[in-house]
Amino acid sequence: MLAFDTECHLFIPGCGFEAPGLHSFVFDPLFKVGGYEFNKPMLLALLSTVVVVWFFWAAFGKAKVVPGKLQMIGEVGYDFVRRGLVYDALGKKEGEKYVPLMVSLFFFVWIMNIWSIIPIAQFPVTSIISFPIGLAAIVYILWVYLTFKKHGFVGGWKNITGWDRSLGWVLPLIVVIEFFSNLLVRPFTHAVRLFANMFAGHLLIVMFTIATWYLANGLGFVYAGASFLMTIAMTAFELFIQAIQAYVFVLLACNYVQGALAEHH
């Protein structure tokens, strides 16, 4: 019997605790269109898009000189990304054109993360690695495009490989390291950093939640209370991590763009 079976508790014969695992991240399709399956994470990703678009449309669709509450919240969020991330990395003049993209990425990632603690949804979309990979691919393509646009074909490769004659005999080694680091490792780590944190956080919350129910029987209530407190603590901590991961993802995106536009990588 599974631990999340409502009839399953500690001290009940034949009722063992089965910890959550990869099966906790697999969902049956909600429906199919031809051979295409649409599942819960896809629905939450779509809802995330709707939430972000609706919020900024409602906040700035009819912007006023004296902002209302929603516009004020929107301005604070927009300005936080613009000044705290984009301007710091790229400067005001160069960075302004990238503000809409970075604001969209930040709030999209944040909303996809925050579904983890929303009742009924209770699942962070970014714990499915295909979503972070897709977002990291957008940043990666932009970085490659800007690199060659700014420096030309030869200069672009020099930028990517860290070409600098002053390095002397270690230059070939640096070129190889920089080449693999930038073209192969960079997009991988950009995606995995977000995925791994949200995957681990969700796994811990699910484990303590299931353990609370499983232990809620007889003397197990003592342990169930401790597990419940851990569930609350992990949920509160996850709120912090969700925002931090959105921040880090966009911060790295800004740094990659800055590197593409810089004279030396």
Side-chain angles (χ1 to χ4, degrees):
M1 296 177 68
L2 302 178
F4 43 84
D5 188 324
T6 55
E7 301 298 325
C8 188
H9 293 285
L10 185 66
F11 303 127
I12 296 179
C15 193
F17 178 81
E18 182 176 324
L22 292 178
H23 60 276
S24 302
F25 297 83
V26 178
F27 296 89
D28 293 329
L30 299 174
F31 59 86
K32 296 182 180 180
V33 179
Y36 184 78
E37 297 181 349
F38 192 87
N39 58 21
K40 180 178 178 179
M42 294 177 183
L43 175 61
L44 294 178
L46 181 61
L47 289 176
S48 299
T49 305
V50 173
V51 169
V52 173
V53 172
W54 170 84
F55 174 77
F56 283 102
W57 184 272
F60 299 112
K62 296 181 179 179
K64 301 178 181 179
V65 177
V66 180
K69 293 181 180 179
L70 195 61
Q71 183 181 335
M72 186 176 296
I73 295 172
E75 288 179 354
V76 170
Y78 188 88
D79 207 48
F80 168 75
V81 178
R82 179 175 62 175
R83 296 183 181 277
L85 290 169
V86 181
Y87 284 3
D88 281 356
L90 300 169
K92 182 176 181 180
K93 182 179 179 180
E94 191 67 48
E96 190 63 41
K97 68 182 73 173
Y98 302 103
V99 171
L101 172 63
M102 298 307 172
V103 169
S104 300
L105 281 175
F106 177 85
F107 284 97
F108 186 53
V109 171
W110 186 37
I111 295 299
M112 287 201 296
N113 290 348
I114 213 168
W115 286 118
S116 173
I117 60 170
I118 302 298
I120 299 178
Q122 295 177 307
F123 186 80
V125 180
T126 49
S127 65
I128 302 295
I129 195 169
S130 57
F131 291 97
I133 285 176
L135 295 174
I138 293 173
V139 176
Y140 178 75
I141 292 171
L142 176 64
W143 168 69
V144 173
Y145 168 76
L146 291 175
T147 297
F148 287 102
K149 180 182 178 182
K150 172 73 174 181
H151 306 283
F153 183 78
V154 176
W157 284 112
K158 287 183 177 180
N159 183 280
I160 290 173
T161 58
W163 181 273
D164 187 349
R165 288 184 178 275
S166 65
L167 294 174
W169 66 272
V170 299
L171 179 58
L173 178 62
I174 296 299
V175 167
V176 172
I177 292 175
E178 288 291 301
F179 177 85
F180 283 100
S181 174
N182 291 322
L183 288 182
L184 300 178
V185 177
R186 170 177 289 185
F188 175 77
T189 57
H190 195 195
V192 169
R193 182 181 285 104
L194 173 60
F195 156 73
N197 279 278
M198 300 314 301
F199 180 92
H202 181 65
L203 203 60
L204 286 172
I205 290 177
V206 172
M207 183 181 71
F208 284 112
T209 301
I210 294 175
T212 299
W213 178 257
Y214 178 72
L215 295 170
N217 184 43
L219 294 176
F221 270 106
V222 177
Y223 309 106
S227 182
F228 179 68
L229 290 177
M230 282 300 300
T231 302
I232 295 176
M234 288 304 304
T235 301
F237 183 65
E238 191 68 4
L239 265 172
F240 173 73
I241 295 299
Q242 288 161 359
I244 288 296
Q245 288 307 310
Y247 179 89
V248 170
F249 189 88
V250 176
L251 176 63
L252 291 173
C254 290
N255 287 337
Y256 296 159
V257 172
Q258 189 277 332
L261 301 176
E263 290 302 323
H264 296 282
H265 181 72

